[in-house]
Every structure is written in structure tokens, then in C-alpha cells.
Amino acid sequence: MLRLSGKIVFRGIAMGPAVVLKKKDETVERQKIEDVDHETARFEEAKAASKEQLRKLYEKAVEEVGETNAAVFEVHQMMLDDAAYTDAVLQMIRTECINAEFAVAVTGHDLSEVFANMEDDLMRARAADIKDISDRLIRNLNGGEEIGLAAMEPSIIVADDLTPSETVQMDKEKILALVTVHGSADSHTAILARTMDIPALIGVPMDLEQVHTGMTVIADGIRGEVIFDPTLEAVERAEGQIKEEQERQELLQEMKGKETVTRDGRRVYLYANIGGVEDLGYVLENDAEGIGLFRSEFLYLGRDPLPTEEEQFQAYRQVVQTMKEKKVIIRTLDIGADKQADHLCLGKEENPALGCRAIRICLKRPDIFKTQLRALLRAAVYGDLSIMYPMITSLWEVDSIYQIVDEVEEELTREQIPFKRPEQGIMIETPAAVMLSDELAEMVDFFSIGTNDLTQYTLAIDRQNEDLDSFYDPHHKAVLRMIKMVVDNAHRCGKRVGICGELGADPKLTEKFVRMGVDGLSVSPAMILRLRESIRQMQ
Ligand code: PEP
Ligand code: MG
């Protein structure tokens, strides 16, 4: 059995045989050619063939996924007519006397790099389109066939990444789920998967040489994991969940627009956890009552230089404006441990989970912290924004944070930039914070319990270490008692307390948490309606 986690881009669970799509070796060789006219004619023919294929794909897609989602194939046809692209290819063939395949490959690569480096998410997603049309042209120049995906039995598609044309060629009746190593929540794969209503997971760290077509695979887009070659126990669990899901799916839609309130009138707030602006669609789709955790560090990961104040301000403002008057809790940079960002030059640590992470970085590097705080205070003008600080262990840290916030306020006032001081809360995710929660409650506006780290630090088990799964008991009495203690201490001070770790989405504990007095749960958007349903059934 091989169990891997991934990012859910569309919720659901499926089990079936894998169809592993390995990209053919697309290395295109540079060849000198004699007859330039013949080569340009070959290119024009390949272009015409590509356009004809795209026209047919467009018609098929309109029928299956509607005009809006099919539009990508119209865009591809237009791109093939784009003078900047075709002129560059033709000029390369003529001036360098090289084969059309090579000219297409180089032009496609250069142009997609330009898009990949753009700031706008949508523009970045266009890089995949350029690659898609270039691959199609090369296939046609080689007299190649499209991947035959129509004739398969119901399967789970496993791939490095999927181009829109690959996705739409598939007979959607026969696709149970999509699982890819790469891709983004904004990619066409994700959009099409949502429209096709099939589970999809991206960012699954698979070695495609280790898995093969025909292997049984469980694509669990509820827990965010993929299991290859599952044990009998895992198969039985998946079968149970699939059945349950099918029955529930329809009923759940009725939960939209309803209040999350127990039968005896206790109101519980159901918020969503997000990693970026691109997740807002799921938040709205699932009728979340706000955002309880925006993991802002995703703005910092995988990029150099750090995001500017303006860039952050735009992202935060977009989130609060989209959520209208609903609550949006943005957590400040929680980098370190499993979320490494090389450009922060944190240096190698023997034990990163106990090292320089989250608020410790912010307090050691007030320059980085202030940039984020400025963006947050500015965005707070546009809606109901709250700031939340991660990994607190001591009272003095909160004092230091407030001092920096005061400085930021003074700066913004001096610069006459509009801002608002938002509500400020902390994450309770270390045993130290639990033990000090009575005093911390007096200093902050709210608590949010981060059970992922709280469990890790309480049980002394690295949350990333799969080998310790048998020791990692998220329902451990010690953790549950800590949660109760934090809730009581918060309420004694009249402060709100929620749970934003994964445990908050565990339906087996929902009732327990509500009875403990937890005010809100912040969970992945796909869990909202499910939890609302069970809370509404509680006495
Ligand atoms: C947590 O620790 O429970 C939490 C919500 O934060 P993260 O998982 O991002 O560390
Ligand atoms: Mg945490």
C-alpha cells in the first residue's frame, strides 16, 4: 500500500483501476533543413490540422461541460492564429534553417516562460495553454496520435499534469477521479473536474515509475489522500465512504442558506480554511459563514523575492471584499518546519519543528512582519478582517506583537494611508499556550485552536512522520482535555474560541466540541455543509 497526500481541488471519493498517463519523451531534436519552403508548409499543415482538432474538441466540450468551460478550445484556436506566435516560429525556420518541430518547441517554451513569470494568477495559468498548443503542433508535425482515452473502463486518471485537451478527450462517464503531481487550483484541470463533478487531487508527490495502469487506487478527496494498492481494510473503508457520500451528496445541498444551529438553539459558526485567493470559489460554493483561517504563508512559499506590501494588500482585500460583511481571519506568516522558504535564509536547523518558525521569524525579522501588518491593516478597511498570530508560547510575544502593530499604525498615520486596527487573536497550538490560556485570554480578542500542531507538540510526534501513524492519536485524551481547558479559559474572559486544525472537521468529534462550548469550527470548504447538517441535528 502506498499512501500519499494531495491538495483537494474537488471533493469526493472514488476507487477503481488507475490509468497512468506518462508523457512521451517530448525532447525535440534540432535539425538543419535544406528546403525552407517545404518546412514552412509542413508547419502550416500542422497548424490547420491542430485547428480542426480543436474545433471538434470545442464542440464535444460544449455538449459535455458547457460553453464557458469549452471556451478554452476556442482560445487555443485563436492562439494558433496569433501572429506573435506563428511569426516567431516561421521566422526561426527561415532564418536558422531548422526543422518546424524545433522552432515550435523553442517558441512555445519561451512564450510560456513569459506567462509563467507574470504576477496575475490567470495570466500564469495561460502558460499551460501555450504548452498545450505547442505540444499539439509537434504531435501533428510528427504525424502523432492523440492519447486514446475514450475506450477505457471507468478509471482514475493518474498523471504528472493534465492539459485541458487531454481532460476533455476523456469520456467523462468513465473517469472516476483525477490525481496529478502538478497543477494549480486555477488550472483548467481543476475547473473541468469541478464541472464534471468528479474528485480531483493535485500536488500528489507520486513517482509515476512506481505506479502503473491497472493498479487499484483510492482517490480520497475528502481527507486529501491517494492510496495505491490499498489493503483490504482501506478498500472496505473507502467502499463505505463512497456509498455514504452518494447518499449524502444530494441531501446536503438542502443545507445551503440555512443557519448552523443545534435543535436547542446553540449557534455554531462554520468557517472555511483557505490557502489563497484561488480557494474563494469553494468557500462560496459551500456556503461558508466566513473564513476562519487564511494560511497567508502560501503567498510566500515557492517564490523569491518576498511578496510586496501591495501584492499582499491586493490579496487580502480581494478576500475580504469577496466575503462581503462575513468574518475573515488572516493568519500571519507561519513559515518554518514543514513549510520551508529558502529565501528567508533560516539556515539549517537540527529540529525545525522546534526551531525558528512562525511568530518567531516575525519577531526576529520585524521588517518582514511589518510589511505584512501594513497590508493587513490597510485591507481591514474593506471588510470584517481579523489578524491571527501563530505558534504563541509566551505572554511577552503578544506584548511585542502589539508594540510592532502600534509602530505600523503610527507609520500609516504619518503617511496618511487609510487603515483600521482589526481584531487580533492567537492560535493556541502549543502546550505552553494552553497552560497560559487564562492569562492570554485577557490579552487578545479570540483564540483559534490549531490541533495539528497542538497534537504534534503534546504527543511529541512529528506530524509529517507517516511511520508514527500508529502512535499519532488525534483523539488523544490529553489533546481533548487541553481543548476543553482553552474553551473554558476563553469564555471566563468573555472571548470567542474556535478550532481551525484538522480535528475541527472530524465528524466524530463535532458533537463533543459543540458540547464543550466551542464557538466556531474552521474546516476545509468541502466539509461545511456536512458539519452544518450534523450540528442542526444535535439536541
Ligand atoms: C494547526 O496547527 O492546527 C493549524 C491549523 O496550522 P497549520 O496546520 O497550518 O500548522
Ligand atoms: Mg499550526
Side-chain angles (χ1 to χ4, degrees):
M1 181 164 97
L2 172 66
R3 187 196 296 261
L4 300 164
S5 48
K7 183 171 179 189
I8 303 164
V9 289
F10 196 70
R11 183 183 187 275
I13 175 161
M15 177 168 58
V19 166
V20 181
L21 300 182
K22 288 181 191 156
K23 288 255 186 258
K24 284 190 237 127
D25 186 7
E26 278 160 9
T27 330
V28 176
E29 302 222 340
R30 181 188 176 106
Q31 285 168 6
K32 267 270 179 248
I33 45 119
E34 302 286 323
D35 189 345
V36 168
D37 289 342
H38 173 70
E39 207 59 19
T40 52
R42 278 186 67 228
F43 171 69
E44 294 296 350
E45 269 170 38
K47 194 174 112 181
S50 300
K51 281 175 69 180
E52 179 56 16
Q53 287 162 358
L54 287 163
R55 194 187 57 75
K56 287 190 186 147
L57 280 174
Y58 174 74
E59 282 171 8
K60 185 171 187 291
V62 168
E63 261 177 44
E64 291 186 352
V65 293
E67 228 166 274
T68 316
N69 288 303
V72 59
F73 299 109
E74 263 195 327
V75 173
H76 283 196
Q77 288 179 66
M78 288 190 295
M79 281 169 142
L80 277 170
D81 276 330
D82 181 57
Y85 181 78
T86 50
D87 288 356
V89 173
L90 291 169
Q91 202 187 357
M92 221 174 151
I93 297 174
R94 288 209 179 92
T95 53
E96 298 184 34
C97 294
I98 49 152
N99 52 326
E101 288 88 337
F102 192 75
V104 168
V106 171
T107 310
H109 174 266
D110 292 352
L111 212 56
S112 77
E113 288 280 287
V114 171
F115 278 95
N117 288 320
M118 287 186 178
E119 302 233 314
D120 187 292
D121 285 347
L122 285 173
M123 282 300 174
R124 269 207 304 277
R126 293 291 78 79
D129 294 317
I130 308 261
K131 194 164 172 340
D132 201 359
I133 60 164
S134 302
D135 289 349
R136 176 177 299 283
L137 280 166
I138 293 169
R139 242 185 348 257
N140 282 316
L141 281 161
N142 288 333
E145 300 271 310
E146 303 227 35
I147 309 162
L149 289 164
M152 62 189 194
E153 61 174 315
S155 308
I156 291 176
I157 304 294
V158 176
D160 195 46
D161 201 357
L162 288 167
T163 60
S165 37
E166 281 167 343
T167 325
V168 84
Q169 275 177 72
M170 300 168 187
D171 183 346
K172 74 171 179 180
E173 299 294 312
K174 294 178 184 163
I175 305 177
L176 300 172
L178 300 175
V179 175
T180 63
V181 180
H182 301 290
S184 73
D186 243 355
S187 66
H188 296 297
T189 305
I191 296 165
L192 286 171
R194 266 174 239 147
T195 319
M196 285 169 145
D197 198 7
I198 53 171
L201 290 112
I202 59 170
V204 182
M206 305 172 280
D207 176 353
L208 293 186
E209 296 306 320
Q210 273 184 3
V211 295
H212 57 82
T213 294
M215 223 175 178
T216 301
V217 49
I218 298 171
D220 187 343
I222 297 168
R223 287 163 179 253
E225 61 181 29
V226 181
I227 306 174
F228 290 93
D229 228 348
T231 58
L232 192 60
E233 198 189 343
V235 167
E236 282 171 0
R237 200 187 67 204
E239 280 172 346
Q241 273 186 302
I242 290 167
K243 194 159 168 278
E244 231 175 78
E245 267 299 297
Q246 285 165 346
E247 290 164 0
R248 286 201 145 171
Q249 211 52 44
E250 274 176 40
L251 285 172
L252 277 185
Q253 300 308 308
E254 291 173 15
M255 288 296 128
K256 287 189 184 170
K258 295 202 169 143
E259 240 193 7
T260 309
V261 61
T262 61
R263 288 195 182 171
D264 58 358
R266 209 177 115 55
R267 179 83 168 89
V268 180
Y269 290 88
L270 276 181
Y271 297 137
N273 291 349
I274 64 167
V277 172
E278 68 277 7
D279 293 336
L280 284 173
Y282 310 125
V283 175
L284 301 177
E285 244 168 61
N286 290 287
D287 194 29
E289 291 153 50
I291 288 168
L293 169 63
F294 177 172
R295 290 181 160 101
S296 71
E297 57 274 12
F298 286 101
L299 293 171
Y300 294 74
L301 291 176
R303 49 163 302 158
D304 192 5
L306 298 173
T308 60
E309 175 185 328
E310 195 53 30
E311 213 175 308
Q312 293 189 58
F313 166 65
Q314 296 296 349
Y316 305 148
R317 188 181 62 169
Q318 192 178 340
V319 175
V320 288
Q321 280 185 326
T322 305
M323 295 308 290
K324 305 220 166 74
E325 72 285 354
K326 290 180 178 166
K327 190 165 280 307
V328 174
I329 302 176
I330 302 180
R331 176 174 76 183
T332 56
L333 184 61
D334 182 10
I335 237 141
D338 52 313
K339 289 172 269 190
Q340 288 294 331
D342 295 343
H343 49 284
L344 281 176
C345 303
L346 300 179
K348 182 150 170 41
E349 291 179 310
E350 281 304 316
N351 204 338
L354 303 181
C356 192
R357 60 170 293 198
I359 203 67
R360 298 172 188 173
I361 298 178
C362 291
L363 293 175
K364 277 165 85 92
R365 290 285 309 268
D367 52 326
I368 294 175
F369 195 28
K370 275 187 171 178
T371 303
Q372 181 168 35
L373 288 171
R374 283 175 63 100
L376 286 165
L377 265 61
R378 287 173 57 198
V381 173
Y382 295 86
D384 187 357
L385 185 153
S386 305
I387 307 183
M388 175 158 78
Y389 304 105
M391 283 295 292
I392 298 294
T393 53
S394 308
L395 308 180
W396 71 261
E397 290 165 340
V398 180
D399 279 328
S400 304
I401 291 167
Y402 288 165
Q403 215 174 315
I404 297 173
V405 175
D406 287 344
E407 285 168 24
V408 167
E409 278 193 344
E410 279 163 29
E411 280 172 27
L412 291 169
T413 310
R414 226 177 13 249
E415 294 163 34
Q416 298 188 329
I417 296 174
F419 71 90
K420 196 176 145 201
R421 189 179 181 114
E423 279 200 343
Q424 296 172 85
I426 56 169
M427 292 206 50
I428 301 287
E429 51 185 345
T430 62
V434 174
M435 298 312 291
L436 296 179
S437 54
D438 52 346
E439 292 178 67
L440 286 166
E442 288 174 16
M443 305 175 79
V444 300
D445 295 314
F446 63 91
F447 285 158
S448 187
I449 307 174
T451 50
N452 308 338
D453 279 314
L454 185 58
T455 307
Q456 143 164 287
Y457 294 124
T458 304
L459 303 185
I461 293 177
D462 178 353
R463 61 193 260 195
Q464 303 297 319
N465 190 338
E466 291 168 20
D467 292 342
L468 294 176
D469 274 0
S470 55
F471 293 92
Y472 191 92
D473 174 10
H475 292 196
H476 199 290
K477 240 195 258 175
V479 177
L480 296 177
R481 281 190 197 169
M482 284 181 161
I483 295 173
K484 174 80 174 104
M485 186 179 195
V486 174
V487 173
D488 290 346
N489 282 335
H491 287 171
R492 232 171 261 133
C493 261
K495 303 291 165 68
R496 296 187 314 277
V497 53
I499 298 178
C500 65
E502 293 309 306
L503 213 55
D506 185 338
K508 291 193 206 82
L509 291 172
T510 312
E511 181 153 5
K512 196 176 192 77
F513 291 148
V514 173
R515 299 221 179 285
M516 276 183 189
V518 165
D519 299 294
L521 298 169
S522 192
V523 297
S524 71
M527 289 304 293
I528 303 264
L529 296 177
R530 210 168 146 193
L531 293 182
R532 180 174 297 156
E533 183 192 41
S534 69
I535 291 170
R536 284 174 62 88
Q537 282 165 1
M538 266 173 220
Q539 291 292 347

